[in-house]
Amino acid sequence: MSNNASATGTYAAPPVRTVSKSSKTTFHFGAGLLSGLTSSILLQPADLLKTRVQQSGHHASLLSTVKTILSSPNPVRNLWRGTLPSALRTGFGSALYFTSLNTLRQSLATPPAILASSASTISSSSALPKLSNTANLATGAAARVAAGFVMMPVTVLKVRYESDYYAYRSLVTAGRDIVRTEGVRGLFAGFGATAARDAPYAGLYVLFYEQLKRYLASATTATSTSPETKTTSSSSINFLSGGLAAGIATAITNPFDAVKTRLQLMPGKYGNMMRAVRLMIHEDGVRSLFGGLGLRIGRKALSSALAWTVYEELILRAETRWAKSERAGAGI
């Protein structure tokens, strides 16, 4: 695979492919699964700390939370508590998200042509079709909400595992307890707040991500002084763009994440999203809506950068390999 940029900053487009749709869909699913598992396992401690900070009504500091965990009998194990449900949620959630996102974008990349992004002559290293800003927002939001709904029961288990409110010994035990005390509805606690967080987050993320990649490719080429320095790694651009886009989108949507955590931990007390917001502000002040912001920005920036870089590199390499195989089969 070539990651070289031309003198105009345009990445070479992969050759025309005739790989079956089912093969591509399966590979997108696998690439999304691997990227999600990688980021979730490596960054689980940050996710756990975010949950612990957000669950408190007394503004527990990050430092005190870390000290409490480190002073426990098994600090390393406790920092990675909830890794299994987190890996299941993020791994399969990413697989579903990337697969549905690619399907949606592929369908919109065809006529009507008004949806295609044609304003810029600089293409990025993205494995995704180029769309308009509106289409980027819509497809990112739709794909994330759909994947979030499917994975919601695992998300609830993950949050409760990470919290120290519960002492579940296994996922099966946790699931049975939730269904017994709250019904099946308990497995979807906080979905409204999750969707309200994920839809704008994912839409904004895809929008910022694609824009930043085009900008960085253009800026890198414009500031280059020799042909040798014009070679820019697509993975470097993807990683930096992913981190920046996640940081911006996370800061905007953090209140929804804080509300979601409270609803999933104490659904009986907070009831629904509007009631949760009122109670949180009344009891803990507006500050409670931004609990765990620093941790979430750091975690989301790293996880998104890792996940999207791994995903795009796998897809680009696969498409290059498919193209070479087809050319060889055609005798070209």
Side-chain angles (χ1 to χ4, degrees):
M1 179 185 69
S2 175
N3 289 328
N4 294 351
S6 69
T8 61
T10 304
Y11 284 89
V16 176
R17 300 171 298 278
T18 57
V19 178
S20 69
K21 184 176 180 180
S22 60
S23 295
K24 292 193 67 176
T25 299
T26 300
F27 197 89
H28 276 275
F29 186 92
L33 176 63
L34 179 60
S35 67
L37 289 174
T38 301
S39 63
S40 64
I41 293 173
L42 289 176
L43 301 174
Q44 175 60 20
D47 213 28
L48 180 138
L49 290 171
K50 176 190 73 74
T51 298
R52 294 287 177 91
V53 170
Q54 286 183 340
Q55 78 178 20
S56 175
H58 304 288
H59 310 310
S61 68
L62 173 60
L63 183 59
S64 64
T65 303
V66 171
K67 286 181 177 179
T68 300
I69 294 175
L70 293 180
S71 62
S72 63
N74 299 292
V76 174
R77 180 179 178 181
N78 287 334
L79 279 173
W80 265 269
R81 179 176 171 80
T83 297
L84 178 58
S86 182
L88 289 173
R89 169 188 172 272
T90 305
F92 285 97
S94 294
L96 292 170
Y97 170 67
F98 282 122
T99 303
S100 57
L101 179 63
N102 178 69
T103 300
L104 288 171
R105 291 173 68 92
Q106 289 288 355
S107 66
L108 292 180
T110 56
I114 191 173
L115 289 173
S117 178
S118 58
S120 175
T121 59
I122 298 176
S123 66
S124 71
S125 56
S126 179
L128 298 173
K130 306 302 180 292
L131 302 177
S132 68
N133 290 341
T134 300
N136 279 330
L137 282 167
T139 54
R144 176 57 67 189
V145 171
F149 178 79
V150 174
M151 300 306 298
M152 197 65 204
V154 182
T155 302
V156 173
L157 293 176
K158 164 190 166 296
V159 171
R160 295 198 181 186
Y161 249 84
E162 292 171 349
S163 168
D164 55 7
Y165 283 162
Y166 301 88
Y168 296 130
R169 289 184 171 273
S170 70
L171 292 178
V172 174
T173 300
R176 286 175 177 172
D177 183 66
I178 292 172
V179 172
R180 178 178 59 81
T181 58
E182 303 168 35
V184 176
R185 183 178 181 180
L187 294 174
F188 292 86
F191 175 69
T194 301
R197 176 201 66 179
D198 286 353
Y201 171 83
L204 289 171
Y205 178 88
V206 175
L207 171 62
F208 293 144
Y209 180 64
E210 292 295 325
Q211 291 285 354
L212 284 166
K213 284 197 296 184
R214 285 195 290 269
Y215 172 78
L216 290 174
S218 176
T220 301
T221 302
T223 56
S224 298
T225 57
S226 67
E228 289 77 13
T229 59
K230 289 181 184 293
T231 299
T232 304
S233 169
S234 64
S235 59
S236 299
I237 290 178
N238 290 345
F239 190 89
L240 182 57
S241 299
L244 291 173
I248 297 171
T250 296
I252 294 173
T253 60
N254 195 78
F256 296 109
D257 187 67
V259 171
K260 172 199 74 76
T261 299
R262 296 287 184 100
L263 284 171
Q264 289 174 340
L265 290 176
M266 294 169 279
K269 176 180 179 180
Y270 291 102
N272 56 57
M273 188 165 65
M274 293 306 298
R275 174 178 168 79
V277 171
R278 288 195 299 268
L279 278 176
M280 289 171 68
I281 293 177
H282 175 72
E283 295 177 349
D284 308 315
V286 175
R287 178 183 173 185
S288 63
L289 297 176
F290 295 91
L293 176 59
L295 275 170
R296 187 168 177 251
I297 287 180
R299 194 262 182 198
K300 292 291 285 186
L302 283 174
S303 66
S304 296
L306 282 171
W308 279 76
T309 300
V310 170
Y311 170 76
E312 294 226 50
E313 285 299 305
L314 288 172
I315 295 301
L316 287 171
R317 289 177 185 276
E319 292 184 339
T320 300
R321 186 173 65 252
W322 288 333
K324 289 181 179 178
S325 176
E326 288 169 5
R327 286 200 301 271
I332 300 176

